[in-house]
PDB file of all heavy atoms in Angstrom:
ATOM      1  N   THR A  12      -0.224  20.440   9.339  1.00  0.00           N
ATOM      2  CA  THR A  12       0.094  21.347  10.440  1.00  0.00           C
ATOM      3  C   THR A  12       1.603  21.308  10.673  1.00  0.00           C
ATOM      4  O   THR A  12       2.191  20.240  10.780  1.00  0.00           O
ATOM      5  CB  THR A  12      -0.653  20.911  11.716  1.00  0.00           C
ATOM      6  OG1 THR A  12      -2.050  21.021  11.466  1.00  0.00           O
ATOM      7  CG2 THR A  12      -0.277  21.777  12.904  1.00  0.00           C
ATOM      8  N   SER A  13       2.198  22.491  10.725  1.00  0.00           N
ATOM      9  CA  SER A  13       3.660  22.573  10.862  1.00  0.00           C
ATOM     10  C   SER A  13       3.997  23.914  11.501  1.00  0.00           C
ATOM     11  O   SER A  13       3.106  24.762  11.683  1.00  0.00           O
ATOM     12  CB  SER A  13       4.312  22.460   9.484  1.00  0.00           C
ATOM     13  OG  SER A  13       3.712  23.375   8.591  1.00  0.00           O
ATOM     14  N   VAL A  14       5.256  24.109  11.826  1.00  0.00           N
ATOM     15  CA  VAL A  14       5.675  25.406  12.379  1.00  0.00           C
ATOM     16  C   VAL A  14       6.925  25.877  11.645  1.00  0.00           C
ATOM     17  O   VAL A  14       7.641  25.077  11.047  1.00  0.00           O
ATOM     18  CB  VAL A  14       5.974  25.326  13.903  1.00  0.00           C
ATOM     19  CG1 VAL A  14       4.712  25.040  14.698  1.00  0.00           C
ATOM     20  CG2 VAL A  14       7.051  24.295  14.205  1.00  0.00           C
ATOM     21  N   LEU A  23       4.294  26.987  20.054  1.00  0.00           N
ATOM     22  CA  LEU A  23       4.413  25.567  19.701  1.00  0.00           C
ATOM     23  C   LEU A  23       3.576  24.711  20.658  1.00  0.00           C
ATOM     24  O   LEU A  23       2.815  23.828  20.220  1.00  0.00           O
ATOM     25  CB  LEU A  23       5.883  25.130  19.760  1.00  0.00           C
ATOM     26  CG  LEU A  23       6.072  23.617  19.616  1.00  0.00           C
ATOM     27  CD1 LEU A  23       5.823  23.175  18.182  1.00  0.00           C
ATOM     28  CD2 LEU A  23       7.448  23.174  20.069  1.00  0.00           C
ATOM     29  N   ILE A  26      -0.011  24.924  19.912  1.00  0.00           N
ATOM     30  CA  ILE A  26      -0.384  24.127  18.723  1.00  0.00           C
ATOM     31  C   ILE A  26      -0.469  22.636  19.083  1.00  0.00           C
ATOM     32  O   ILE A  26      -1.455  21.971  18.766  1.00  0.00           O
ATOM     33  CB  ILE A  26       0.640  24.356  17.574  1.00  0.00           C
ATOM     34  CG1 ILE A  26       0.519  25.792  17.057  1.00  0.00           C
ATOM     35  CG2 ILE A  26       0.440  23.356  16.431  1.00  0.00           C
ATOM     36  CD1 ILE A  26       1.659  26.240  16.159  1.00  0.00           C
ATOM     37  N   LEU A  27       0.541  22.135  19.790  1.00  0.00           N
ATOM     38  CA  LEU A  27       0.540  20.708  20.147  1.00  0.00           C
ATOM     39  C   LEU A  27      -0.672  20.375  21.012  1.00  0.00           C
ATOM     40  O   LEU A  27      -1.331  19.353  20.817  1.00  0.00           O
ATOM     41  CB  LEU A  27       1.825  20.340  20.902  1.00  0.00           C
ATOM     42  CG  LEU A  27       3.145  20.485  20.148  1.00  0.00           C
ATOM     43  CD1 LEU A  27       4.321  20.054  21.030  1.00  0.00           C
ATOM     44  CD2 LEU A  27       3.147  19.682  18.858  1.00  0.00           C
ATOM     45  N   ILE A  32      -1.445  16.576  19.633  1.00  0.00           N
ATOM     46  CA  ILE A  32      -0.373  15.792  19.025  1.00  0.00           C
ATOM     47  C   ILE A  32       0.913  15.996  19.831  1.00  0.00           C
ATOM     48  O   ILE A  32       0.992  16.927  20.641  1.00  0.00           O
ATOM     49  CB  ILE A  32      -0.142  16.162  17.530  1.00  0.00           C
ATOM     50  CG1 ILE A  32      -0.021  17.688  17.354  1.00  0.00           C
ATOM     51  CG2 ILE A  32      -1.240  15.597  16.660  1.00  0.00           C
ATOM     52  CD1 ILE A  32       0.226  18.130  15.919  1.00  0.00           C
ATOM     53  N   THR A  33       1.894  15.147  19.613  1.00  0.00           N
ATOM     54  CA  THR A  33       3.119  15.223  20.425  1.00  0.00           C
ATOM     55  C   THR A  33       4.280  15.891  19.699  1.00  0.00           C
ATOM     56  O   THR A  33       5.299  16.195  20.311  1.00  0.00           O
ATOM     57  CB  THR A  33       3.560  13.803  20.842  1.00  0.00           C
ATOM     58  OG1 THR A  33       3.689  13.020  19.649  1.00  0.00           O
ATOM     59  CG2 THR A  33       2.557  13.151  21.781  1.00  0.00           C
ATOM     60  N   GLY A  34       4.141  16.102  18.389  1.00  0.00           N
ATOM     61  CA  GLY A  34       5.223  16.743  17.653  1.00  0.00           C
ATOM     62  C   GLY A  34       4.757  17.209  16.280  1.00  0.00           C
ATOM     63  O   GLY A  34       3.721  16.739  15.789  1.00  0.00           O
ATOM     64  N   VAL A  35       5.507  18.142  15.686  1.00  0.00           N
ATOM     65  CA  VAL A  35       5.142  18.649  14.344  1.00  0.00           C
ATOM     66  C   VAL A  35       6.382  18.823  13.476  1.00  0.00           C
ATOM     67  O   VAL A  35       7.473  19.109  13.989  1.00  0.00           O
ATOM     68  CB  VAL A  35       4.438  20.033  14.368  1.00  0.00           C
ATOM     69  CG1 VAL A  35       2.982  19.950  14.681  1.00  0.00           C
ATOM     70  CG2 VAL A  35       5.153  21.023  15.237  1.00  0.00           C
ATOM     71  N   PRO A  36       6.201  18.711  12.157  1.00  0.00           N
ATOM     72  CA  PRO A  36       7.318  19.023  11.262  1.00  0.00           C
ATOM     73  C   PRO A  36       7.620  20.529  11.316  1.00  0.00           C
ATOM     74  O   PRO A  36       6.705  21.341  11.504  1.00  0.00           O
ATOM     75  CB  PRO A  36       6.789  18.630   9.876  1.00  0.00           C
ATOM     76  CG  PRO A  36       5.619  17.749  10.133  1.00  0.00           C
ATOM     77  CD  PRO A  36       5.037  18.201  11.431  1.00  0.00           C
ATOM     78  N   VAL A  37       8.876  20.858  11.140  1.00  0.00           N
ATOM     79  CA  VAL A  37       9.281  22.263  11.036  1.00  0.00           C
ATOM     80  C   VAL A  37       9.563  22.510   9.553  1.00  0.00           C
ATOM     81  O   VAL A  37      10.272  21.723   8.919  1.00  0.00           O
ATOM     82  CB  VAL A  37      10.537  22.559  11.887  1.00  0.00           C
ATOM     83  CG1 VAL A  37      10.876  24.042  11.833  1.00  0.00           C
ATOM     84  CG2 VAL A  37      10.327  22.107  13.326  1.00  0.00           C
ATOM     85  N   GLY A  46      13.045  20.242   9.653  1.00  0.00           N
ATOM     86  CA  GLY A  46      13.286  19.672  10.976  1.00  0.00           C
ATOM     87  C   GLY A  46      12.025  19.053  11.540  1.00  0.00           C
ATOM     88  O   GLY A  46      10.980  19.004  10.873  1.00  0.00           O
ATOM     89  N   PHE A  47      12.139  18.553  12.771  1.00  0.00           N
ATOM     90  CA  PHE A  47      10.968  18.014  13.463  1.00  0.00           C
ATOM     91  C   PHE A  47      11.141  18.367  14.934  1.00  0.00           C
ATOM     92  O   PHE A  47      12.239  18.316  15.480  1.00  0.00           O
ATOM     93  CB  PHE A  47      10.873  16.484  13.280  1.00  0.00           C
ATOM     94  CG  PHE A  47       9.511  15.958  13.642  1.00  0.00           C
ATOM     95  CD1 PHE A  47       8.522  15.842  12.677  1.00  0.00           C
ATOM     96  CD2 PHE A  47       9.199  15.608  14.959  1.00  0.00           C
ATOM     97  CE1 PHE A  47       7.247  15.383  12.998  1.00  0.00           C
ATOM     98  CE2 PHE A  47       7.939  15.149  15.294  1.00  0.00           C
ATOM     99  CZ  PHE A  47       6.963  15.030  14.315  1.00  0.00           C
ATOM    100  N   ILE A  48      10.041  18.774  15.558  1.00  0.00           N
ATOM    101  CA  ILE A  48      10.111  19.126  16.986  1.00  0.00           C
ATOM    102  C   ILE A  48       9.028  18.369  17.744  1.00  0.00           C
ATOM    103  O   ILE A  48       7.878  18.331  17.319  1.00  0.00           O
ATOM    104  CB  ILE A  48       9.999  20.661  17.182  1.00  0.00           C
ATOM    105  CG1 ILE A  48      10.070  21.054  18.663  1.00  0.00           C
ATOM    106  CG2 ILE A  48       8.719  21.242  16.615  1.00  0.00           C
ATOM    107  CD1 ILE A  48      11.412  21.465  19.117  1.00  0.00           C
ATOM    108  N   SER A  49       9.433  17.750  18.854  1.00  0.00           N
ATOM    109  CA  SER A  49       8.464  17.012  19.674  1.00  0.00           C
ATOM    110  C   SER A  49       8.579  17.467  21.127  1.00  0.00           C
ATOM    111  O   SER A  49       9.566  18.121  21.497  1.00  0.00           O
ATOM    112  CB  SER A  49       8.732  15.510  19.579  1.00  0.00           C
ATOM    113  OG  SER A  49       9.965  15.234  20.210  1.00  0.00           O
ATOM    114  N   ARG A 120       6.092  10.147  14.664  1.00  0.00           N
ATOM    115  CA  ARG A 120       5.419  10.710  13.485  1.00  0.00           C
ATOM    116  C   ARG A 120       6.447  10.938  12.371  1.00  0.00           C
ATOM    117  O   ARG A 120       7.513  11.495  12.628  1.00  0.00           O
ATOM    118  CB  ARG A 120       4.726  12.037  13.843  1.00  0.00           C
ATOM    119  CG  ARG A 120       3.659  11.891  14.922  1.00  0.00           C
ATOM    120  CD  ARG A 120       3.211  13.250  15.451  1.00  0.00           C
ATOM    121  NE  ARG A 120       2.364  13.962  14.515  1.00  0.00           N
ATOM    122  CZ  ARG A 120       1.059  13.756  14.384  1.00  0.00           C
ATOM    123  NH1 ARG A 120       0.441  12.874  15.128  1.00  0.00           N
ATOM    124  NH2 ARG A 120       0.354  14.470  13.520  1.00  0.00           N
ATOM    125  N   PRO A 122       7.056  12.722   8.703  1.00  0.00           N
ATOM    126  CA  PRO A 122       6.506  13.632   7.685  1.00  0.00           C
ATOM    127  C   PRO A 122       6.537  12.996   6.295  1.00  0.00           C
ATOM    128  O   PRO A 122       7.515  12.338   5.939  1.00  0.00           O
ATOM    129  CB  PRO A 122       7.441  14.840   7.738  1.00  0.00           C
ATOM    130  CG  PRO A 122       8.167  14.735   9.039  1.00  0.00           C
ATOM    131  CD  PRO A 122       8.262  13.271   9.334  1.00  0.00           C
TER     132      PRO A 122
END
Side-chain angles (χ1 to χ4, degrees):
Chain A
T12 297
S13 51
V14 293
L23 171 73
I26 292 167
L27 297 181
I32 49 179
T33 55
V35 279
V37 184
F47 196 91
I48 180 97
S49 68
R120 299 168 74 82

